[in-house]
């Protein structure tokens, strides 16, 4: 198995908000990146956003023009899981759905070389259960980046029940190679950050739903009253309301406490396709349609 410094080829599956940022980080760290998405349009959007993000960094002097163009050149879009067969590390960042992720892990286990480490960027799904879909549970691990990955300094590493010490050490060093600070969580629903964050976001939805205050006042209250850089409703829009709902359902099912039961307003927004900033409309409007805080 490759050590962190020997990880040369990284597969990233899912070229959405998270996968595109993860691909950018791995390419900037010198890895050859194979980027795969079921939707070709997502790949085109990802390449455009990675290129403009790296060129912005170069324009500000954070990296040289040559390093910027080299990084962009290290990213190759691919169209089939088989194209990832030689990756040293695969990071999955597809939709937050356990069955869909498990099917992908089964496929990855079959086609990647025996030494490949399989990581998931899941926000809440059990790494142990994803690992159990493979014949290499010792090489399956959670690598939870934060949004947007190039900016946020944290990676939360989740050890499944069978993740080996060697794989944990490799992924920890690789995360540091990406310039991140690492925290380690055992494999319980929501891990550390979402276990604490999602009940707050859910409570903010309840406050809006029950008419306690306007969305603006709820967010301003938490920004100025608790020194958060962004209010919980705006943060939910940035994360994606579908992702928030999925995580709350995992917390509710896994921990069995009604306090995690998703607010009906959050469910309704997701049902209506108001998924947040990525769709132009969530709790707030981002320049496409009009927004209303009323259920
Ligand atoms: P997104 O909706 O922006 O992107 C997901 C991408 O995966 C889409 O482009 C979709 O076409 C693709 N996809 C779906 N199923 C696929 C499959 N079977 N094979 C290949 N591609 C597939 O979602 P986002 O926000 O990037 O989230 C991805 C993962 O990262 C989820 O597991 C989420 O929980 C996790 N995550 C999200 C964070 C956030 O703030 N949005 C933060 C940390 C983790």
């Amino acid at each position: 198995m490759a050590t962190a410094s020997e990880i040369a080829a990284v597969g990233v599956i899912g070229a959405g908000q998270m996968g595109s940022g993860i691909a950018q980080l791995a390419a900037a760290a010198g890895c050859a990146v194979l980027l795969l998405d079921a939707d070709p349009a997502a790949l085109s959007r990802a390449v455009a956003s990675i290129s403009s993000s790296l060129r912005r960094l170069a324009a500000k002097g954070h990296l040289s023009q040559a390093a910027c163009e080299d990084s962009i050149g290290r990213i190759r879009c691919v169209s089939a899981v088989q194209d990832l067969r030689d990756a040293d590390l695969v990071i999955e960042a597809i939709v937050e759905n356990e069955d869909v992720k498990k099917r992908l892990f089964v496929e990855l286990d079959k086609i990647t070389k025996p030494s490949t480490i399989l990581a998931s960027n899941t926000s809440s799904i059990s790494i142990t259960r994803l690992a159990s879909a493979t014949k290499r549970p010792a090489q399956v691990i959670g690598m939870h980046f934060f949004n947007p990955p190039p900016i946020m300094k944290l990676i939360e590493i989740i050890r499944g029940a069978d993740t080996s010490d060697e794989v944990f050490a490799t992924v920890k060093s690789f995360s540091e190679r990406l310039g991140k600070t690492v925290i380690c969580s055992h494999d319980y629903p929501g891990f550390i950050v979402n276990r604490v964050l999602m009940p707050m976001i859910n409570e903010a939805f309840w406050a809006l739903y029950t008419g306690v205050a306007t969305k603006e006042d709820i967010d301003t209250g938490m920004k100025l009253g608790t020194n958060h850089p962004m209010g919980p409703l705006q943060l939910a829009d940035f994360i994606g309301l579908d992702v928030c709902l999925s995580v709350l359902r995992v917390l509710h099912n896994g921990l069995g406490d009604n306090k995690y039961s998703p607010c009906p307003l959050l469910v309704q927004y997701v049902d209506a396709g108001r998924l947040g900033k990525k769709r132009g409309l969530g709790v707030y409007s981002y320049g496409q349609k009009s927004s209303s805080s009323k259920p």
Side-chain angles (χ1 to χ4, degrees), residues 94-261:
I94 67 167
V95 60
E96 185 75 349
N97 175 302
E98 183 167 332
D99 290 337
V100 180
K101 285 194 196 286
K102 270 188 176 159
R103 280 200 294 278
L104 179 61
F105 272 73
V106 167
E107 216 179 331
L108 283 170
D109 189 33
K110 284 196 191 126
I111 64 100
T112 52
K113 56 187 181 179
S115 60
T116 303
I117 296 172
L118 305 179
S120 174
N121 180 50
T122 177
S123 301
S124 61
I125 293 169
S126 163
I127 299 302
T128 306
R129 286 205 298 274
L130 293 180
S132 73
T134 75
K135 294 191 175 62
R136 61 175 93 187
Q139 286 161 238
V140 177
I141 194 161
M143 209 177 164
H144 184 206
F145 293 75
F146 291 81
N147 191 8
I151 306 281
M152 299 295 280
K153 296 189 188 329
L154 185 68
I155 295 181
E156 184 175 38
I157 295 182
I158 302 100
R159 294 187 69 148
D162 294 313
T163 309
S164 73
D165 290 345
E166 188 189 359
V167 166
F168 172 70
T170 299
V171 168
K172 181 171 184 288
S173 309
F174 182 72
S175 303
E176 287 160 358
R177 187 177 148 195
L178 299 182
K180 304 300 182 190
T181 297
V182 168
I183 57 173
C184 178
S185 172
H186 290 297
D187 189 20
Y188 291 109
F191 318 130
I192 302 170
V193 176
N194 281 327
R195 173 80 177 261
V196 178
L197 173 66
M198 288 300 165
M200 182 185 73
I201 286 179
N202 202 32
E203 203 57 41
F205 271 96
W206 278 105
L208 182 61
Y209 180 58
T210 55
V212 171
T214 62
K215 56 186 186 268
E216 290 84 3
D217 279 2
I218 293 167
D219 275 350
T220 302
M222 294 307 289
K223 272 198 297 195
L224 302 188
T226 63
N227 219 10
H228 289 192
M230 188 182 282
L233 297 169
Q234 190 188 6
L235 179 57
D237 270 356
F238 276 61
I239 292 170
L241 300 190
D242 53 336
V243 173
C244 294
L245 180 59
S246 301
V247 176
L248 279 163
R249 285 183 169 146
V250 168
L251 289 171
H252 190 213
N253 293 335
L255 299 168
D257 191 323
N258 270 341
K259 75 180 175 189
Y260 302 110
S261 176

